[in-house]
Amino acid sequence: MTRVFSGIQPTGHLTLGNYLGAMRRWAEVDQHRADSLFCVVDLHALTMDHDPARVRRLSRQTATLLLAAGLDPEVCTVFLQSHVDEHTRLSYLLECVATDGEMRRMIQYKEKAAKERERGGSVRLSLLTYPVLMAADILAYGTDEVPVGEDQAQHVELTRDLAVRFNQRYGQAFVVPRATLPPVAARVMNLQDPTRKMGKSDDSGAGVVYLLDEPDVVRKKVLRAVTDSGRDVVYDRAERPGLANLLDVLAACTGGNPQSLADVYDSYGSLKKDTAEAVVEVLRPVQARHRELCADPAYVEGVLRDGAEKARALARPTVDTAYRAIGLLPPVAEPSLSAVR
């Protein structure tokens, strides 16, 4: 059976972009068609300056929202990255086959490092090397497919390169995975700046619809979305990014086609109003289920405990194989009681 792995960072409150671009497909498609693992990658949240209490809080909230979005622990595996030691065990081995040049070519590292330098700060080493940890996340489970947004495709290509290089140098240890991109709304853009994606760690929330936003807040944000010059409603990502973003969101929420939806509207106002209501309705069941889960924290804790146990059992044989292949001695087993006697 095909194995799917994907992860999400607890670096901010989850957004409509996270849901339409990834989480909904995980729940509706991926968990049913494959042996699927979905991970809150909390170790990745440590690559930037952070508040420890906030990371813990957002890790729990992220896991709860994954379940609220429809992930079923009876069907798939949901867990926290830091609860499975094999991620960090394998990451160091992969650092030993990755190169400095590969790390510095990663687009996200370039962007985040540049922003940090503009503020007069310096970046953590973990920000440079986190694509290797991401590769370890994927390769530890013999993953076949990684459903990701366009902005993460480069990291999956690095993962493939590291897997092939390791296998060629040290012997077959890893499945070489491939990225799969969702067909619609793979990248929901910021409502106030449609040239940037809707990011959960955005400094300003005006252009970001969060999954736990109240309906009136959602409506206000969508109705205030930036549009483009002109009066006609057309779908053109390059020339009319604001309109294209609204049409993409509406299409993703209703199951329509953005080009076809453009022909239905003759004003920006009616498009915004329908898009706002569509978003409210899409988020309504997720928010209701989230409230139920928050009232039963022991259930969420049990899901994460059982998920980590299952993930650990899946990852350990692959990681142990990689340790032997690269030249490390296995640990010496304790003698049995019968042997001592």
Side-chain angles (χ1 to χ4, degrees):
M1 191 175 185
T2 299
R3 181 164 291 165
V4 167
F5 176 93
S6 198
I8 191 163
Q9 292 189 42
T11 50
H13 298 287
L14 296 184
T15 73
L16 179 68
N18 296 129
Y19 181 70
L20 295 180
M23 294 165 61
R24 185 173 64 173
R25 180 178 174 84
W26 295 351
E28 294 180 354
V29 179
D30 291 326
Q31 69 171 338
H32 300 292
R33 70 176 178 85
D35 179 12
S36 299
L37 299 100
F38 301 103
C39 180
V40 179
V41 287
D42 49 348
L43 294 174
H44 289 295
L46 310 184
T47 60
M48 304 290 283
D49 188 32
H50 64 277
D51 173 14
R54 185 171 187 267
V55 171
R56 286 191 291 270
R57 185 172 65 253
L58 287 177
S59 295
R60 178 183 291 275
Q61 183 186 91
T62 300
T64 304
L65 280 168
L66 289 177
L67 298 174
L71 293 186
D72 183 350
E74 298 297 322
V75 176
C76 65
T77 304
V78 181
F79 64 104
L80 293 184
Q81 178 191 31
S82 63
H83 292 178
V84 181
D85 292 343
E86 278 63 31
H87 291 256
T88 50
R89 286 182 63 208
L90 181 55
S91 181
Y92 181 73
L93 295 196
L94 296 178
E95 285 187 12
C96 294
V97 298
T99 68
D100 176 76
E102 285 174 318
M103 297 300 98
R104 296 186 186 280
R105 285 195 294 272
M106 294 291 107
I107 294 172
Q108 289 202 2
Y109 170 74
K110 290 180 179 180
E111 292 176 349
K112 291 180 180 180
K115 288 181 180 178
E116 192 63 30
R117 293 189 188 102
E118 285 176 5
R119 291 195 288 260
S122 59
V123 298
R124 300 182 181 189
L125 179 61
S126 56
L127 181 63
L128 178 65
T129 60
Y130 97 90
V132 178
L133 177 57
M134 181 176 174
D137 299 337
I138 296 165
L139 296 178
Y141 297 100
T143 303
D144 300 294
E145 295 182 8
V146 188
V148 293
E150 295 171 354
D151 58 324
Q152 292 292 335
Q154 185 188 33
H155 290 146
V156 180
E157 286 305 309
L158 173 68
T159 301
R160 289 171 55 84
D161 291 342
L162 295 180
V164 169
R165 189 178 307 154
F166 190 102
N167 289 346
Q168 290 175 344
R169 289 181 181 177
Y170 305 114
Q172 189 69 30
F174 302 121
V175 173
V176 180
R178 61 186 178 275
T180 56
L181 301 175
V184 177
R187 202 174 190 193
V188 177
M189 311 307 282
N190 187 293
L191 296 175
Q192 291 299 312
D193 182 359
T195 64
R196 297 189 296 117
K197 77 169 186 174
M198 185 180 287
K200 57 182 178 292
S201 55
D202 201 307
D203 293 336
S204 171
V208 180
V209 174
Y210 298 104
L211 294 190
L212 297 179
D213 276 346
E214 293 292 332
D216 285 347
V217 174
V218 172
R219 293 186 183 99
K220 184 179 295 184
K221 288 180 177 180
V222 176
L223 292 175
R224 292 179 177 176
V226 167
T227 49
D228 313 285
S229 59
R231 295 184 178 181
D232 55 324
V233 178
V234 296
Y235 184 77
D236 186 334
R237 276 183 173 273
E239 299 298 325
R240 312 285 285 279
L243 280 176
N245 189 37
L246 289 171
L247 290 164
D248 278 334
V249 170
L250 180 59
C253 289
T254 61
N257 177 279
Q259 289 93 345
S260 300
L261 285 170
D263 297 332
V264 174
Y265 293 94
D266 56 10
S267 72
Y268 295 174
S270 58
L271 171 61
K272 287 183 175 182
K273 182 178 178 181
D274 284 358
T275 301
E277 293 306 318
V279 172
V280 167
E281 290 307 311
V282 160
L283 296 185
R284 193 182 304 279
V286 176
Q287 294 177 352
R289 179 58 176 153
H290 179 264
R291 287 192 292 270
E292 293 174 359
L293 292 168
C294 286
D296 188 6
Y299 171 76
V300 176
E301 290 172 2
V303 167
L304 296 178
R305 182 181 59 250
D306 294 345
E309 183 178 345
K310 182 178 177 182
R312 201 176 298 119
L314 288 172
R316 185 164 295 165
T318 297
V319 177
D320 286 348
T321 296
Y323 264 61
R324 289 191 299 271
I326 204 169
L328 299 175
L329 283 173
V332 178
E334 292 288 340
S336 65
L337 288 177
S338 59
V340 171
R341 290 171 184 166

